[in-house]
Short mmCIF file of all heavy atoms in Angstrom, two decimals:
data_model
loop_
_atom_site.label_atom_id
_atom_site.label_comp_id
_atom_site.label_asym_id
_atom_site.label_seq_id
_atom_site.Cartn_x
_atom_site.Cartn_y
_atom_site.Cartn_z
N MET A 68 0.93 -1.20 -0.01
CA MET A 68 -0.02 -0.01 -0.02
C MET A 68 0.88 1.23 0.04
O MET A 68 1.82 1.40 0.77
CB MET A 68 -1.00 -0.07 1.14
CG MET A 68 -1.69 1.25 1.30
SD MET A 68 -2.69 1.15 2.94
CE MET A 68 -4.25 1.45 2.27
N LYS A 69 0.61 2.19 -0.85
CA LYS A 69 1.45 3.44 -1.01
C LYS A 69 0.93 4.39 0.08
O LYS A 69 -0.28 4.64 0.25
CB LYS A 69 1.27 4.01 -2.32
CG LYS A 69 2.01 5.18 -2.59
CD LYS A 69 1.85 5.71 -4.00
CE LYS A 69 2.90 6.91 -4.11
NZ LYS A 69 2.67 7.42 -5.54
N THR A 70 1.93 5.00 0.76
CA THR A 70 1.67 6.06 1.78
C THR A 70 1.33 7.35 1.04
O THR A 70 2.05 7.79 0.15
CB THR A 70 2.87 6.28 2.69
OG1 THR A 70 3.25 5.03 3.28
CG2 THR A 70 2.57 7.25 3.75
N ILE A 71 0.29 7.94 1.55
CA ILE A 71 -0.20 9.31 0.94
C ILE A 71 -0.08 10.24 2.03
O ILE A 71 -0.51 10.19 3.16
CB ILE A 71 -1.60 9.23 0.48
CG1 ILE A 71 -1.68 8.15 -0.68
CG2 ILE A 71 -2.06 10.60 -0.06
CD1 ILE A 71 -3.15 8.05 -1.16
N ARG A 72 0.64 11.44 1.75
CA ARG A 72 0.75 12.58 2.74
C ARG A 72 -0.55 13.43 2.52
O ARG A 72 -0.53 14.32 1.69
CB ARG A 72 1.99 13.28 2.39
CG ARG A 72 3.25 12.57 2.81
CD ARG A 72 4.43 13.39 2.70
NE ARG A 72 5.52 12.68 3.22
CZ ARG A 72 6.56 12.21 2.35
NH1 ARG A 72 6.42 12.29 1.06
NH2 ARG A 72 7.53 11.54 2.81
N LEU A 73 -1.49 13.06 3.37
CA LEU A 73 -2.82 13.76 3.27
C LEU A 73 -2.63 15.26 3.43
O LEU A 73 -3.31 16.00 2.77
CB LEU A 73 -3.74 13.16 4.17
CG LEU A 73 -5.15 13.57 4.14
CD1 LEU A 73 -5.88 13.24 2.82
CD2 LEU A 73 -6.04 12.94 5.27
N TRP A 74 -1.78 15.55 4.39
CA TRP A 74 -1.77 17.03 4.59
C TRP A 74 -1.08 17.81 3.47
O TRP A 74 -1.37 19.02 3.25
CB TRP A 74 -0.69 17.25 5.86
CG TRP A 74 0.66 16.62 5.62
CD1 TRP A 74 1.06 15.38 6.10
CD2 TRP A 74 1.76 17.18 5.01
NE1 TRP A 74 2.28 15.10 5.76
CE2 TRP A 74 2.79 16.24 5.09
CE3 TRP A 74 2.03 18.36 4.35
CZ2 TRP A 74 4.07 16.45 4.56
CZ3 TRP A 74 3.28 18.58 3.79
CH2 TRP A 74 4.25 17.63 3.90
N ALA A 75 -0.44 17.19 2.52
CA ALA A 75 0.08 17.87 1.34
C ALA A 75 -0.84 17.99 0.20
O ALA A 75 -0.72 18.71 -0.75
CB ALA A 75 1.44 17.08 0.92
N THR A 76 -2.07 17.08 0.39
CA THR A 76 -2.86 17.11 -0.73
C THR A 76 -4.33 17.79 -0.39
O THR A 76 -5.22 17.78 -1.27
CB THR A 76 -3.21 15.66 -1.22
OG1 THR A 76 -3.75 15.04 -0.08
CG2 THR A 76 -1.96 14.99 -1.68
N THR A 77 -4.37 18.36 0.78
CA THR A 77 -5.61 19.03 1.16
C THR A 77 -5.33 20.45 1.66
O THR A 77 -4.26 20.72 1.91
CB THR A 77 -6.39 18.24 2.29
OG1 THR A 77 -5.59 18.22 3.40
CG2 THR A 77 -6.74 16.82 1.81
N THR A 78 -6.37 21.22 1.82
CA THR A 78 -6.25 22.49 2.47
C THR A 78 -5.99 22.25 4.06
O THR A 78 -6.37 21.10 4.59
CB THR A 78 -7.49 23.43 2.31
OG1 THR A 78 -8.53 22.87 3.05
CG2 THR A 78 -7.72 23.67 0.85
N ALA A 79 -5.41 23.20 4.71
CA ALA A 79 -5.26 23.08 6.14
C ALA A 79 -6.44 23.00 6.98
O ALA A 79 -6.64 22.08 7.84
CB ALA A 79 -4.52 24.38 6.70
N GLU A 80 -7.65 23.57 6.45
CA GLU A 80 -8.87 23.54 7.13
C GLU A 80 -9.47 22.05 6.96
O GLU A 80 -10.02 21.49 7.89
CB GLU A 80 -9.91 24.53 6.54
CG GLU A 80 -9.50 25.96 6.91
CD GLU A 80 -8.43 26.56 5.93
OE1 GLU A 80 -8.10 25.92 4.86
OE2 GLU A 80 -7.84 27.48 6.25
N THR A 81 -9.41 21.54 5.82
CA THR A 81 -9.87 20.13 5.56
C THR A 81 -9.04 19.12 6.34
O THR A 81 -9.70 18.27 7.02
CB THR A 81 -9.84 19.91 3.96
OG1 THR A 81 -10.63 20.85 3.28
CG2 THR A 81 -10.31 18.44 3.74
N TYR A 82 -7.72 19.23 6.49
CA TYR A 82 -6.94 18.43 7.23
C TYR A 82 -7.27 18.46 8.56
O TYR A 82 -7.40 17.46 9.30
CB TYR A 82 -5.43 18.63 6.91
CG TYR A 82 -4.50 17.75 7.64
CD1 TYR A 82 -4.35 16.40 7.24
CD2 TYR A 82 -3.86 18.23 8.70
CE1 TYR A 82 -3.46 15.55 7.81
CE2 TYR A 82 -2.94 17.40 9.37
CZ TYR A 82 -2.85 16.04 8.88
OH TYR A 82 -1.94 15.25 9.56
N GLN A 83 -7.45 19.64 9.05
CA GLN A 83 -7.79 19.87 10.51
C GLN A 83 -9.10 19.26 10.84
O GLN A 83 -9.20 18.50 11.84
CB GLN A 83 -7.88 21.40 10.84
CG GLN A 83 -8.15 21.62 12.32
CD GLN A 83 -8.20 23.09 12.63
OE1 GLN A 83 -8.08 23.85 11.82
NE2 GLN A 83 -8.32 23.38 13.95
N GLU A 84 -10.13 19.39 10.01
CA GLU A 84 -11.37 18.69 10.15
C GLU A 84 -11.30 17.24 10.28
O GLU A 84 -11.91 16.54 11.14
CB GLU A 84 -12.40 19.16 9.15
CG GLU A 84 -13.00 20.48 9.24
CD GLU A 84 -13.99 20.78 8.09
OE1 GLU A 84 -14.81 19.85 7.83
OE2 GLU A 84 -13.93 21.97 7.48
N LEU A 85 -10.56 16.70 9.38
CA LEU A 85 -10.33 15.27 9.24
C LEU A 85 -9.66 14.69 10.54
O LEU A 85 -10.11 13.71 11.08
CB LEU A 85 -9.62 14.82 8.07
CG LEU A 85 -9.25 13.29 7.82
CD1 LEU A 85 -10.58 12.54 7.80
CD2 LEU A 85 -8.46 13.12 6.62
N MET A 86 -8.58 15.37 10.98
CA MET A 86 -7.83 14.94 12.22
C MET A 86 -8.76 15.06 13.29
O MET A 86 -8.71 14.16 14.29
CB MET A 86 -6.60 15.86 12.37
CG MET A 86 -5.58 15.48 11.34
SD MET A 86 -4.88 13.81 11.35
CE MET A 86 -5.75 13.03 10.09
N LEU A 87 -9.50 16.14 13.44
CA LEU A 87 -10.41 16.23 14.63
C LEU A 87 -11.51 15.14 14.65
O LEU A 87 -11.77 14.59 15.63
CB LEU A 87 -11.16 17.55 14.72
CG LEU A 87 -10.30 18.76 15.10
CD1 LEU A 87 -11.00 20.15 14.89
CD2 LEU A 87 -9.91 18.72 16.61
N TYR A 88 -12.06 14.84 13.49
CA TYR A 88 -13.03 13.74 13.27
C TYR A 88 -12.45 12.41 13.76
O TYR A 88 -12.99 11.70 14.56
CB TYR A 88 -13.49 13.70 11.98
CG TYR A 88 -14.46 12.50 11.73
CD1 TYR A 88 -15.84 12.55 12.10
CD2 TYR A 88 -13.95 11.33 11.16
CE1 TYR A 88 -16.55 11.46 12.00
CE2 TYR A 88 -14.76 10.25 11.07
CZ TYR A 88 -16.14 10.24 11.51
OH TYR A 88 -16.92 9.22 11.28
N LEU A 89 -11.23 12.15 13.22
CA LEU A 89 -10.53 10.94 13.63
C LEU A 89 -10.32 10.76 15.15
O LEU A 89 -10.44 9.81 15.72
CB LEU A 89 -9.30 10.72 12.78
CG LEU A 89 -9.47 10.39 11.43
CD1 LEU A 89 -8.15 10.44 10.58
CD2 LEU A 89 -10.23 9.14 11.11
N ALA A 90 -9.79 11.91 15.66
CA ALA A 90 -9.34 12.04 17.07
C ALA A 90 -10.59 11.73 17.94
O ALA A 90 -10.53 11.13 19.00
CB ALA A 90 -8.72 13.36 17.42
N GLN A 91 -11.77 12.34 17.51
CA GLN A 91 -12.99 12.17 18.33
C GLN A 91 -13.73 10.85 18.14
O GLN A 91 -14.41 10.45 19.07
CB GLN A 91 -13.98 13.23 17.88
CG GLN A 91 -13.47 14.58 18.29
CD GLN A 91 -14.34 15.70 17.63
OE1 GLN A 91 -15.04 15.42 16.74
NE2 GLN A 91 -14.19 16.92 18.08
N ASN A 92 -13.24 10.05 17.11
CA ASN A 92 -14.00 8.83 16.80
C ASN A 92 -13.26 7.56 16.93
O ASN A 92 -13.57 6.47 17.25
CB ASN A 92 -14.66 8.94 15.55
CG ASN A 92 -15.82 9.90 15.58
OD1 ASN A 92 -16.79 9.79 16.24
ND2 ASN A 92 -15.59 11.02 14.79
N ILE A 93 -11.94 7.59 16.43
CA ILE A 93 -11.16 6.23 16.23
C ILE A 93 -9.82 6.43 16.98
O ILE A 93 -9.11 7.34 16.66
CB ILE A 93 -11.01 5.99 14.79
CG1 ILE A 93 -12.45 5.77 14.17
CG2 ILE A 93 -10.23 4.70 14.64
CD1 ILE A 93 -12.42 5.73 12.68
N GLY A 94 -9.43 5.44 17.73
CA GLY A 94 -8.14 5.35 18.27
C GLY A 94 -7.23 4.45 17.51
O GLY A 94 -7.58 3.83 16.50
N LYS A 95 -6.04 4.26 17.95
CA LYS A 95 -5.07 3.36 17.26
C LYS A 95 -5.52 2.04 17.28
O LYS A 95 -5.22 1.18 16.32
CB LYS A 95 -3.71 3.43 17.94
CG LYS A 95 -2.92 4.64 17.53
CD LYS A 95 -1.50 4.68 18.07
CE LYS A 95 -0.76 5.81 17.69
NZ LYS A 95 0.62 5.85 18.12
N ASP A 96 -6.29 1.57 18.33
CA ASP A 96 -6.74 0.28 18.43
C ASP A 96 -8.08 0.02 17.85
O ASP A 96 -8.68 -1.06 17.87
CB ASP A 96 -6.75 -0.29 19.78
CG ASP A 96 -7.63 0.63 20.65
OD1 ASP A 96 -8.16 1.50 20.12
OD2 ASP A 96 -7.76 0.26 21.85
N GLY A 97 -8.55 0.94 17.09
CA GLY A 97 -9.90 0.89 16.37
C GLY A 97 -11.09 1.23 17.19
O GLY A 97 -12.17 1.20 16.75
N LYS A 98 -10.82 1.62 18.45
CA LYS A 98 -11.96 1.94 19.25
C LYS A 98 -12.15 3.39 19.33
O LYS A 98 -11.16 4.17 19.06
CB LYS A 98 -11.69 1.41 20.76
CG LYS A 98 -11.58 -0.18 20.82
CD LYS A 98 -11.37 -0.65 22.18
CE LYS A 98 -11.16 -2.15 22.29
NZ LYS A 98 -10.79 -2.57 23.55
N ARG A 99 -13.22 3.86 19.87
CA ARG A 99 -13.48 5.31 20.13
C ARG A 99 -12.55 5.83 21.00
O ARG A 99 -12.08 5.21 22.04
CB ARG A 99 -14.93 5.54 20.59
CG ARG A 99 -15.91 5.24 19.43
CD ARG A 99 -17.37 5.41 19.94
NE ARG A 99 -17.58 6.83 20.11
CZ ARG A 99 -18.14 7.70 19.18
NH1 ARG A 99 -18.24 7.20 18.05
NH2 ARG A 99 -18.34 8.86 19.42
N GLU A 100 -12.08 7.07 20.86
CA GLU A 100 -11.16 7.73 21.69
C GLU A 100 -11.44 9.23 21.79
O GLU A 100 -11.78 9.86 20.86
CB GLU A 100 -9.73 7.64 21.03
CG GLU A 100 -8.57 8.04 21.89
CD GLU A 100 -7.22 7.68 21.37
OE1 GLU A 100 -7.10 7.62 20.18
OE2 GLU A 100 -6.39 7.53 22.15
N LYS A 101 -11.34 9.89 22.96
CA LYS A 101 -11.60 11.20 23.20
C LYS A 101 -10.46 12.00 22.56
O LYS A 101 -9.32 11.66 22.56
CB LYS A 101 -11.72 11.50 24.65
CG LYS A 101 -12.98 10.87 25.14
CD LYS A 101 -13.21 11.27 26.71
CE LYS A 101 -14.39 10.57 27.19
NZ LYS A 101 -14.60 10.91 28.71
N ILE A 102 -10.71 13.20 22.20
CA ILE A 102 -9.77 14.11 21.57
C ILE A 102 -8.56 14.34 22.45
O ILE A 102 -7.47 14.44 22.09
CB ILE A 102 -10.31 15.36 20.83
CG1 ILE A 102 -9.23 16.03 20.08
CG2 ILE A 102 -10.90 16.23 21.96
CD1 ILE A 102 -9.76 17.01 19.03
N GLY A 103 -8.93 14.65 23.69
CA GLY A 103 -7.76 14.78 24.68
C GLY A 103 -6.78 13.77 24.79
O GLY A 103 -5.60 13.92 24.93
N GLU A 104 -7.33 12.57 24.87
CA GLU A 104 -6.48 11.34 24.90
C GLU A 104 -5.57 11.21 23.60
O GLU A 104 -4.41 10.91 23.68
CB GLU A 104 -7.27 10.10 25.05
CG GLU A 104 -7.98 10.10 26.55
CD GLU A 104 -9.05 8.97 26.68
OE1 GLU A 104 -9.23 8.18 25.65
OE2 GLU A 104 -9.62 8.88 27.74
N PHE A 105 -6.26 11.43 22.53
CA PHE A 105 -5.52 11.42 21.28
C PHE A 105 -4.30 12.42 21.24
O PHE A 105 -3.26 12.13 20.96
CB PHE A 105 -6.54 11.65 20.08
CG PHE A 105 -5.84 11.81 18.70
CD1 PHE A 105 -5.53 10.65 18.01
CD2 PHE A 105 -5.59 12.98 18.17
CE1 PHE A 105 -5.09 10.67 16.85
CE2 PHE A 105 -5.00 13.13 17.04
CZ PHE A 105 -4.71 11.88 16.27
N VAL A 106 -4.61 13.64 21.60
CA VAL A 106 -3.66 14.68 21.56
C VAL A 106 -2.49 14.36 22.53
O VAL A 106 -1.41 14.52 22.32
CB VAL A 106 -4.23 16.08 21.93
CG1 VAL A 106 -3.17 17.16 22.12
CG2 VAL A 106 -5.24 16.53 20.76
N GLU A 107 -2.94 13.84 23.71
CA GLU A 107 -1.94 13.51 24.78
C GLU A 107 -1.03 12.48 24.28
O GLU A 107 0.27 12.50 24.36
CB GLU A 107 -2.57 12.92 25.97
CG GLU A 107 -1.72 12.60 27.18
CD GLU A 107 -2.38 12.08 28.35
OE1 GLU A 107 -3.72 11.96 28.37
OE2 GLU A 107 -1.83 11.75 29.32
N LYS A 108 -1.48 11.39 23.66
CA LYS A 108 -0.67 10.35 23.06
C LYS A 108 0.26 10.89 21.95
O LYS A 108 1.36 10.59 21.81
CB LYS A 108 -1.59 9.18 22.55
CG LYS A 108 -2.21 8.51 23.58
CD LYS A 108 -2.99 7.41 22.95
CE LYS A 108 -3.89 6.56 23.98
NZ LYS A 108 -4.75 5.63 23.36
N ALA A 109 -0.32 11.77 21.10
CA ALA A 109 0.52 12.29 20.00
C ALA A 109 1.66 13.12 20.51
O ALA A 109 2.84 13.05 20.09
CB ALA A 109 -0.43 13.19 19.11
N VAL A 110 1.39 13.90 21.57
CA VAL A 110 2.53 14.67 22.25
C VAL A 110 3.49 13.84 22.84
O VAL A 110 4.77 14.08 22.59
CB VAL A 110 1.83 15.71 23.20
CG1 VAL A 110 2.95 16.38 24.04
CG2 VAL A 110 1.10 16.78 22.52
N ILE A 111 3.16 12.87 23.54
CA ILE A 111 4.07 11.88 24.14
C ILE A 111 4.81 11.19 23.10
O ILE A 111 6.12 11.08 23.29
CB ILE A 111 3.28 10.88 25.10
CG1 ILE A 111 2.75 11.62 26.24
CG2 ILE A 111 4.17 9.77 25.45
CD1 ILE A 111 1.73 10.71 27.17
N GLU A 112 4.30 10.80 22.07
CA GLU A 112 5.03 10.10 21.02
C GLU A 112 6.09 11.11 20.35
O GLU A 112 7.19 10.78 20.06
CB GLU A 112 4.15 9.57 19.87
CG GLU A 112 3.33 8.35 20.34
CD GLU A 112 2.25 7.94 19.34
OE1 GLU A 112 2.18 8.41 18.26
OE2 GLU A 112 1.39 7.11 19.77
N LYS A 113 5.66 12.37 20.18
CA LYS A 113 6.51 13.29 19.52
C LYS A 113 7.70 13.53 20.43
O LYS A 113 8.83 13.72 20.08
CB LYS A 113 5.79 14.67 19.32
CG LYS A 113 6.51 15.77 18.82
CD LYS A 113 7.05 15.72 17.48
CE LYS A 113 7.73 16.88 16.92
NZ LYS A 113 8.44 16.80 15.68
N LEU A 114 7.47 13.79 21.73
CA LEU A 114 8.53 14.06 22.74
C LEU A 114 9.50 12.82 22.77
O LEU A 114 10.78 12.98 22.89
CB LEU A 114 7.93 14.29 24.10
CG LEU A 114 7.18 15.61 24.16
CD1 LEU A 114 6.55 15.72 25.67
CD2 LEU A 114 8.13 16.71 24.00
N ASN A 115 8.90 11.64 22.76
CA ASN A 115 9.78 10.56 22.73
C ASN A 115 10.66 10.37 21.44
O ASN A 115 11.82 10.06 21.57
CB ASN A 115 8.98 9.05 22.84
CG ASN A 115 8.51 8.96 24.28
OD1 ASN A 115 8.96 9.50 25.23
ND2 ASN A 115 7.34 8.24 24.28
N ARG A 116 10.08 10.71 20.34
CA ARG A 116 10.96 10.67 19.16
C ARG A 116 11.99 11.80 19.17
O ARG A 116 13.14 11.52 18.81
CB ARG A 116 10.01 11.02 17.87
CG ARG A 116 9.19 9.88 17.44
CD ARG A 116 8.61 10.10 16.11
NE ARG A 116 7.90 11.31 15.96
CZ ARG A 116 6.50 11.35 16.25
NH1 ARG A 116 5.87 10.25 16.66
NH2 ARG A 116 5.80 12.54 16.14
N GLU A 117 11.75 13.02 19.73
CA GLU A 117 12.67 14.06 19.83
C GLU A 117 13.78 13.55 20.84
O GLU A 117 14.96 13.89 20.55
CB GLU A 117 12.10 15.28 20.37
CG GLU A 117 11.18 16.00 19.30
CD GLU A 117 11.89 16.44 18.02
OE1 GLU A 117 13.03 16.89 18.18
OE2 GLU A 117 11.39 16.10 16.97
N LYS A 118 13.46 12.81 21.99
CA LYS A 118 14.45 12.48 23.01
C LYS A 118 15.28 11.42 22.24
O LYS A 118 16.65 11.59 22.55
CB LYS A 118 13.63 11.78 24.10
CG LYS A 118 14.60 11.59 25.27
CD LYS A 118 13.97 10.67 26.30
CE LYS A 118 12.93 11.53 27.07
NZ LYS A 118 12.23 10.67 28.17
N ARG A 119 14.81 10.44 21.52
CA ARG A 119 15.64 9.50 20.90
C ARG A 119 16.56 10.25 19.84
O ARG A 119 17.83 9.81 19.78
CB ARG A 119 14.86 8.45 20.12
CG ARG A 119 14.20 7.50 21.05
CD ARG A 119 13.62 6.31 20.33
NE ARG A 119 12.60 6.60 19.38
CZ ARG A 119 11.27 6.78 19.54
NH1 ARG A 119 10.80 6.52 20.74
NH2 ARG A 119 10.51 7.02 18.57
N LYS A 120 16.11 11.20 19.10
CA LYS A 120 16.90 11.87 18.15
C LYS A 120 18.08 12.62 18.81
O LYS A 120 19.09 12.63 18.39
CB LYS A 120 16.01 12.93 17.40
CG LYS A 120 16.66 13.54 16.22
CD LYS A 120 15.90 14.62 15.62
CE LYS A 120 14.62 14.19 14.96
NZ LYS A 120 13.83 15.34 14.35
N MET A 121 17.72 13.23 19.99
CA MET A 121 18.75 13.95 20.64
C MET A 121 19.86 13.02 21.21
O MET A 121 20.99 13.26 21.16
CB MET A 121 18.17 14.71 21.93
CG MET A 121 17.30 15.90 21.54
SD MET A 121 18.25 17.22 20.80
CE MET A 121 19.23 17.87 22.09
N LYS A 122 19.44 11.82 21.76
CA LYS A 122 20.35 10.85 22.20
C LYS A 122 21.27 10.35 21.06
O LYS A 122 22.50 10.28 21.30
CB LYS A 122 19.64 9.59 22.80
CG LYS A 122 19.10 9.80 24.15
CD LYS A 122 18.42 8.59 24.73
CE LYS A 122 17.89 8.95 26.09
NZ LYS A 122 17.13 7.76 26.70
N ARG A 123 20.71 10.06 19.93
CA ARG A 123 21.59 9.71 18.85
C ARG A 123 22.54 10.78 18.46
O ARG A 123 23.71 10.46 18.08
CB ARG A 123 20.71 9.28 17.60
CG ARG A 123 20.02 8.03 17.56
CD ARG A 123 19.41 7.49 16.42
NE ARG A 123 18.46 8.52 15.75
CZ ARG A 123 17.20 8.46 15.88
NH1 ARG A 123 16.56 7.56 16.67
NH2 ARG A 123 16.44 9.35 15.22
N LYS A 124 22.12 11.99 18.45
CA LYS A 124 22.93 13.15 18.05
C LYS A 124 24.11 13.26 19.02
O LYS A 124 25.25 13.42 18.70
CB LYS A 124 22.17 14.43 18.06
CG LYS A 124 23.02 15.62 17.49
CD LYS A 124 22.10 16.74 17.37
CE LYS A 124 22.69 17.99 16.71
NZ LYS A 124 23.80 18.50 17.14
N ILE A 125 23.72 13.22 20.39
CA ILE A 125 24.82 13.20 21.44
C ILE A 125 25.75 12.07 21.27
O ILE A 125 27.03 12.31 21.37
CB ILE A 125 24.18 13.21 22.81
CG1 ILE A 125 23.40 14.59 22.95
CG2 ILE A 125 25.12 13.06 23.96
CD1 ILE A 125 22.55 14.63 24.16
N SER A 126 25.28 10.81 21.06
CA SER A 126 26.18 9.74 21.03
C SER A 126 27.02 9.75 19.67
O SER A 126 28.27 9.35 19.70
CB SER A 126 25.52 8.47 20.97
OG SER A 126 24.63 8.24 19.97
N SER A 127 26.56 10.40 18.70
CA SER A 127 27.35 10.53 17.43
C SER A 127 28.32 11.54 17.54
O SER A 127 29.38 11.53 16.83
CB SER A 127 26.46 10.75 16.21
OG SER A 127 25.82 11.98 16.23
N ASP A 128 28.08 12.63 18.40
CA ASP A 128 29.03 13.71 18.53
C ASP A 128 30.34 13.25 19.37
O ASP A 128 31.36 13.98 19.20
CB ASP A 128 28.32 14.87 19.11
CG ASP A 128 27.41 15.55 18.18
OD1 ASP A 128 27.48 15.29 16.92
OD2 ASP A 128 26.55 16.43 18.58
N THR A 129 30.20 12.34 20.22
CA THR A 129 31.22 11.96 21.15
C THR A 129 32.00 10.85 20.60
O THR A 129 31.95 10.18 19.62
CB THR A 129 30.73 11.49 22.50
OG1 THR A 129 29.72 10.44 22.40
CG2 THR A 129 30.07 12.64 23.21
#
């Protein structure tokens, strides 16, 4: 299956509406999920990715 960058093919408003709809209705496990929980998970995942990136950068610099 080919990955499509939806954000690159729609307007910002349309993308935002879609993300809000998904966040309010479907979680990663296919169950309903509240938007607050969705955003919380997304932020945690982003912070973890940034932390791993920083660790790799630090270890490659030394």
Side-chain angles (χ1 to χ4, degrees):
M68 178 185 229
K69 184 177 179 182
T70 302
I71 298 173
R72 291 189 176 105
L73 187 61
W74 56 266
T76 60
T77 63
T78 65
E80 294 80 18
T81 302
Y82 182 71
Q83 180 180 6
E84 279 183 46
L85 178 60
M86 290 295 101
L87 285 172
Y88 173 79
L89 290 174
Q91 292 169 344
N92 292 293
I93 302 170
K95 284 186 176 181
D96 57 358
K98 296 179 182 176
R99 291 180 68 88
E100 187 172 28
K101 293 181 180 178
I102 190 159
E104 294 169 358
F105 175 82
V106 170
E107 180 181 4
K108 288 178 187 177
V110 168
I111 289 170
E112 289 173 7
K113 173 71 173 170
L114 291 173
N115 288 338
R116 282 193 304 273
E117 291 297 319
K118 186 188 295 184
R119 285 192 303 268
K120 189 187 299 183
M121 291 294 288
K122 283 182 180 179
R123 283 194 306 264
K124 185 176 191 301
I125 289 170
S126 64
S127 67
D128 289 344
T129 58

